[in-house]
């Protein structure tokens, strides 16, 4: 039939969906952000609030998004016909996923670049293994420091001045040292090793070294020293630009057939990272100084539990790690069979995700302990988050492995697979979200539309491959997915747990039956039982309270964006806040438009087409309207629309049922 709407498709099996969720949730943040937060918030103590926040915030949100997507078989934009006034939630989700996808693929590009550099070095050594390269400075050091405790006092002081402390600088502090030890020193030769290493006096005289991997990252890959900041980004890096194009080309080929292609890729990308993490942990435990890192990671500081910031960081990490409010979970669940047990899937994925974070911490801190030993620094001085950890700390440890180019290739291949899974979900959210608005056109042309989205992503990512592009990337990372994610999630809960029940109570539908929380009955239709009190208590009370808590703590502890010592100018901060506000404005703007067009009652009430997409699944309270509400296509009207019994009597053609489509009828109802 002319004008038929293409089906949305579905997963090839339950395992594809589960692996896709694991790949989406287990991403780069598990490897480069969780260990840093453990260090900053009391080591093993951080695990206590982390697990608590998983139970009261992360897991309930994870299940909620899987449930609503699977129930309606709709994408993030069209699913909100449960309450048309909240239609802006979908636009907000797609906007956030689109912004994050732009810079996230730049990070994937860097992993690809390191992977290529490792591959071409298979016959030798990785380029960041040694100093003495054209990009290195005199501060570069790779040799381990002498073991001071095994030396005589004379050799110890001589070594300190030779390699670790600036002798003229210490000489200028003789007065301070004399006052501290109540003795008048006239020469640095009179000082013993304890006096020289007094952190309160001589810390500024300590010689700071940089690692070969750090200089390779900043001075060769980024060429950051050729840029002064956002005001002067420098020229484009051709090597990074080509790699970025290849990264987007890879995304295109994996998504060109939708979940039919990406669902097969995840069999490898979701499982391979665990093999490499095990290998890195084993190697890390054989490196000198590893025990410093592991001890630092696992030493509890119970008194830190009194600090609100520790709880705020734990809640934020759970929130971002599981990927709530991005729309990715909702999108992936929308391709499920209606009777799939999404409650079980939520539990499995959430606990695998958190277990991966803890396990990765051991691999990371064993390498950081080795780095601290090599560079004469405390463990806390070499700990970093984000790209600094993935492209400096890890490569430094890998360079010490036998056949280091091979292990480096595998490691960065692992980073690539970790990033791809998350990028698949975010891009699929964007593509399917827009396709569901125009199903007649875009679903038939899935491949060219995917190519178009990838091309736009590539063009918008080009400023981030300039020599100062890391400043742009950091700005987007700092703001694009921050407060807005939490507030979008809060709006989801308000819609499903408060507005949906209240509307049904005051304006009962389905033969006048009232339900305190109708979405619980919707979930029962899918999994065979109502959610237990744990889910209900969290959805109705605890999770919203935790989200508000996160927002308040984050706001009180807000600090402007920075990259190392670089502070962003006010105009850049303004751009950042525009990224925060834009998705939230969409929610309120759409709500106002819907109320004006439909009136308060219709704007907040479920539409007649709300419910399971497939007719055979429309049972119970939805069976009463399944015969009267169908999705049809009329050449006369020119669009898909809701056909009821009266329409059929007027001679309109019979309905076309697409088995899981985001009903275009939604738009004919002016929603």
């Amino acid at each position: 039939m002319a004008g038929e709407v293409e089906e949305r498709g579905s997963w090839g099996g339950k395992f594809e969906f589960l692996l896709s969720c694991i790949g989406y949730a287990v991403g780069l943040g598990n490897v480069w952000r969780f260990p840093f937060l453990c260090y900053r918030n009391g080591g093993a103590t951080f695990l206590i609030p982390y697990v608590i926040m998983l139970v009261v915030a992360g897991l309930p949100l994870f299940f909620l998004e899987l449930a609503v997507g699977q129930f309606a078989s709709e994408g993030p934009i069209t699913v909100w016909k449960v309450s048309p006034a909240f239609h802006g939630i979908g636009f907000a989700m797609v906007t956030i996923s689109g912004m994050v996808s732009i810079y996230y693929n730049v990070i994937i590009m860097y992993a690809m670049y390191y992977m290529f550099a490792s591959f071409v070095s298979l016959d030798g050594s990785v380029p960041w293994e040694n100093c003495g390269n054209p990009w290195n400075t005199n501060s570069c050091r790779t040799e381990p420091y002498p073991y001071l405790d095994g030396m005589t006092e004379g050799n110890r002081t001589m070594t300190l001045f030779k390699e670790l402390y600036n002798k003229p600088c210490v000489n200028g502090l003789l007065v301070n040292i004399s006052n501290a030890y109540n003795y008048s020193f006239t020469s640095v030769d009179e000082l013993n090793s304890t006096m020289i290493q007094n952190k309160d006096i001589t810390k500024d005289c300590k010689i700071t070294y940089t690692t070969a991997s750090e200089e390779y990252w900043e001075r060769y890959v980024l060429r950051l020293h050729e840029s002064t900041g956002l005001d002067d980004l420098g020229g484009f890096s051709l090597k990074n630009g080509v790699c970025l194009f290849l990264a987007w080309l890879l995304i295109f080929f994996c998504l060109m057939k939708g979940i039919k292609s990406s669902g097969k890729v995840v069999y490898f990308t979701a499982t391979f990272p665990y093999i490499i993490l095990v290998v890195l942990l084993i190697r890390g435990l054989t490196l000198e100084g590893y025990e410093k890192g592991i001890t630092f990671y696992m030493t509890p500081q119970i008194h830190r539990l009194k600090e609100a910031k520790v709880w705020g960081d734990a809640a934020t990490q759970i929130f971002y790690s599981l990927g709530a409010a991005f729309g990715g979970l909702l999108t992936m669940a929308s391709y499920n069979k209606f009777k799939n047990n999404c409650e079980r899937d939520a539990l499995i994925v959430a606990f695998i995700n958190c277990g991966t974070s803890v396990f990765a911490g051991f691999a990371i801190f064993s390498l950081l302990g080795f780095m601290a030993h090599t560079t004469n620094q405390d463990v806390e001085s070499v700990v970093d988050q984000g790209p600094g950890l993935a492209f400096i700390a890890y490569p430094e440890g890998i360079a010490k492995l036998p056949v280091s180019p091979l292990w480096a290739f595998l490691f960065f291949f692992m980073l690539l697979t970790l990033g791809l899974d998350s990028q698949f979900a975010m891009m699929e959210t964007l593509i399917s979200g827009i396709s569901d608005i125009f199903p007649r056109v875009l679903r038939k042309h899935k491949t060219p539309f995917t190519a178009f989205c990838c091309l736009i992503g590539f063009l918008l990512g080009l400023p981030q491959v300039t020599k100062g592009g890391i400043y742009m990337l950091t700005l987007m990372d700092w703001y694009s997915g921050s407060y807005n994610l939490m507030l979008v999630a809060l709006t989801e809960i308000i819609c499903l747990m408060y507005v949906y029940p209240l509307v049904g109570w005051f304006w009962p539908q389905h033969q006048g039956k009232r339900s305190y929380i109708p979405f619980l009955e919707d979930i029962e239709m899918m999994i065979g039982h109502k959610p237990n009190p744990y889910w209900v208590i969290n959805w109705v009370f605890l999770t919203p309270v935790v989200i508000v808590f996160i927002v308040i703590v984050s706001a009180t502890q807000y600090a402007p964006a920075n990259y190392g010592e670089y502070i962003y100018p006010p105009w850049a901060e303004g751009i950042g806040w525009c990224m925060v506000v834009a998705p939230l404005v969409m929610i309120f703007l759409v709500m106002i438009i819907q109320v004006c067009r439909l009136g308060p009652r219709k704007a907040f009430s479920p539409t007649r087409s709300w419910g399971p997409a497939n007719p055979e699944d429309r049972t119970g309270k939805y069976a009463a309207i399944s015969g009267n509400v169908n999705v049809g296509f009329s050449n006369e009207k020119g669009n898909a629309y809701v056909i009821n019994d009266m329409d059929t009597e007027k001679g309109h053609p019979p309905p076309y049922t697409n088995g899981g489509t985001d009903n275009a009828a939604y738009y004919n109802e002016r929603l």
Side-chain angles (χ1 to χ4, degrees), residues 201-465:
I201 303 175
T202 62
K203 62 179 180 180
D204 292 333
C205 297
K206 194 173 183 179
I207 300 174
T208 301
Y209 292 99
T210 54
T211 62
S213 61
E214 181 179 355
E215 294 198 349
Y216 180 78
W217 164 247
E218 292 195 345
R219 298 182 63 85
Y220 184 74
V221 177
L222 298 179
R223 296 172 68 178
L224 190 59
H225 59 290
E226 299 180 32
S227 170
T228 58
L230 287 176
D231 297 314
D232 177 24
L233 291 175
F236 282 95
S237 171
L238 183 58
K239 65 179 187 299
N240 291 341
V242 171
C243 283
L244 181 63
F245 177 78
L246 294 177
W248 278 110
L249 196 63
L250 178 61
I251 296 296
F252 166 70
F253 282 120
C254 291
L255 291 179
M256 59 185 295
K257 298 297 183 181
I259 62 168
K260 292 181 181 178
S261 53
S262 65
K264 301 299 184 290
V265 176
V266 294
Y267 279 99
F268 176 77
T269 58
T271 56
F272 179 74
Y274 291 96
I275 300 174
I276 302 302
L277 280 176
V278 170
V279 172
L280 288 176
L281 175 61
I282 294 173
R283 176 52 179 163
L285 294 177
T286 64
L287 294 173
E288 193 173 4
Y290 80 91
E291 67 281 353
K292 295 180 181 178
I294 298 297
T295 300
F296 193 91
Y297 180 43
M298 294 307 297
T299 300
Q301 301 174 32
I302 301 299
H303 67 278
R304 299 292 301 277
L305 291 176
K306 299 178 182 178
E307 301 176 16
K309 188 176 187 306
V310 175
W311 293 84
D313 280 350
T316 303
Q317 174 62 12
I318 281 291
F319 198 94
Y320 294 144
S321 180
L322 291 176
F326 279 96
L329 297 173
L330 199 154
T331 300
M332 290 187 291
S334 71
Y335 296 111
N336 274 339
K337 301 297 183 183
F338 185 76
K339 296 294 185 179
N340 178 64
N341 190 342
C342 54
E343 180 183 35
R344 173 204 59 205
D345 294 341
L347 291 169
I348 292 174
V349 175
F351 284 105
I352 287 179
N353 172 67
C354 296
T356 302
S357 295
V358 176
F359 178 73
F362 285 98
I364 292 165
F365 273 89
S366 63
L367 295 176
L368 293 176
F370 168 74
M371 285 187 65
H373 175 77
T374 302
T375 59
N376 188 37
Q377 300 182 76
D378 296 325
V379 174
E380 55 264 35
S381 299
V382 296
V383 176
D384 198 358
Q385 67 170 323
L389 189 58
F391 299 111
I392 296 176
Y394 280 167
E396 185 70 20
I398 292 172
K400 309 302 178 184
L401 292 169
V403 199
S404 59
L406 174 62
W407 292 113
F409 175 81
L410 293 175
F411 171 76
F412 288 108
F413 191 31
M414 178 195 74
L415 284 190
L416 176 65
T417 58
L418 282 173
L420 284 177
D421 291 325
S422 300
Q423 184 74 350
F424 289 161
M426 289 187 289
M427 284 300 296
E428 185 62 31
T429 298
L430 175 68
I431 294 168
S432 67
I434 299 175
S435 297
D436 288 343
I437 301 177
F438 309 103
R440 291 175 52 207
V441 177
L442 296 183
R443 286 188 193 162
K444 290 183 178 179
H445 303 91
K446 175 79 174 181
T447 299
F449 182 60
T450 300
F452 174 76
C453 291
C454 291
L455 176 61
I456 296 300
F458 167 70
L459 295 176
L460 293 177
L462 284 178
Q464 298 177 47
V465 294

Side-chain angles (χ1 to χ4, degrees), residues 17-342:
F17 168 69
L18 192 62
L19 284 177
S20 295
C21 284
I22 292 173
Y24 172 60
V26 179
L28 296 173
N30 299 73
V31 177
W32 72 23
R33 191 165 187 267
F34 176 81
F36 171 79
L37 291 178
C38 278
Y39 142 69
R40 193 172 71 178
N41 295 293
T45 305
F46 181 70
L47 297 178
I48 298 174
Y50 182 73
V51 172
I52 292 175
M53 290 301 173
L54 167 67
V55 172
V56 300
L59 190 53
L61 281 170
F62 198 92
F63 181 30
L64 185 70
E65 290 201 6
L66 291 186
V68 69
Q70 179 175 307
F71 178 75
S73 297
E74 308 262 6
I77 291 181
T78 53
V79 76
W80 298 103
K81 57 191 176 183
V82 64
S83 183
F86 289 89
H87 188 60
I89 293 176
F91 288 103
M93 287 178 166
V94 169
T95 300
I96 294 172
S97 288
M99 289 191 297
V100 173
S101 295
I102 294 170
Y103 80 81
Y104 203 81
N105 217 37
V106 177
I107 299 173
I108 292 175
M109 174 272 292
Y110 286 129
M112 289 184 64
Y113 177 83
Y114 270 79
M115 189 177 73
F116 294 151
S118 304
F119 180 78
V120 299
S121 303
L122 283 175
D123 290 333
S125 60
V126 289
W128 60 84
E129 181 176 351
N130 299 305
C131 300
N133 299 293
W135 59 82
N136 289 128
T137 66
N138 293 330
S139 298
C140 183
R141 181 186 180 96
T142 57
E143 303 84 9
Y145 288 94
Y147 184 62
L148 296 176
D149 293 340
M151 298 181 180
T152 63
E153 179 61 26
N155 288 337
R156 191 181 299 132
T157 55
M158 182 177 65
T159 301
L160 286 173
F161 281 132
K162 181 180 179 181
E163 298 191 51
L164 308 180
Y165 284 86
N166 186 296
K167 193 170 184 178
C169 177
V170 175
N171 188 66
L173 297 174
L174 281 178
V175 174
N176 304 67
I177 298 174
S178 298
N179 293 335
Y181 291 95
N182 295 319
Y183 186 86
S184 180
F185 295 104
T186 59
S187 171
V188 293
D189 295 331
E190 302 176 42
L191 304 178
N192 59 38
S193 59
T194 302
M195 297 173 182
I196 297 171
Q197 298 179 84
N198 189 316
K199 294 182 180 179
D200 295 330
I201 303 175
T202 62
K203 62 179 180 180
D204 292 333
C205 297
K206 194 173 183 179
I207 300 174
T208 301
Y209 292 99
T210 54
T211 62
S213 61
E214 181 179 355
E215 294 198 349
Y216 180 78
W217 164 247
E218 292 195 345
R219 298 182 63 85
Y220 184 74
V221 177
L222 298 179
R223 296 172 68 178
L224 190 59
H225 59 290
E226 299 180 32
S227 170
T228 58
L230 287 176
D231 297 314
D232 177 24
L233 291 175
F236 282 95
S237 171
L238 183 58
K239 65 179 187 299
N240 291 341
V242 171
C243 283
L244 181 63
F245 177 78
L246 294 177
W248 278 110
L249 196 63
L250 178 61
I251 296 296
F252 166 70
F253 282 120
C254 291
L255 291 179
M256 59 185 295
K257 298 297 183 181
I259 62 168
K260 292 181 181 178
S261 53
S262 65
K264 301 299 184 290
V265 176
V266 294
Y267 279 99
F268 176 77
T269 58
T271 56
F272 179 74
Y274 291 96
I275 300 174
I276 302 302
L277 280 176
V278 170
V279 172
L280 288 176
L281 175 61
I282 294 173
R283 176 52 179 163
L285 294 177
T286 64
L287 294 173
E288 193 173 4
Y290 80 91
E291 67 281 353
K292 295 180 181 178
I294 298 297
T295 300
F296 193 91
Y297 180 43
M298 294 307 297
T299 300
Q301 301 174 32
I302 301 299
H303 67 278
R304 299 292 301 277
L305 291 176
K306 299 178 182 178
E307 301 176 16
K309 188 176 187 306
V310 175
W311 293 84
D313 280 350
T316 303
Q317 174 62 12
I318 281 291
F319 198 94
Y320 294 144
S321 180
L322 291 176
F326 279 96
L329 297 173
L330 199 154
T331 300
M332 290 187 291
S334 71
Y335 296 111
N336 274 339
K337 301 297 183 183
F338 185 76
K339 296 294 185 179
N340 178 64
N341 190 342
C342 54

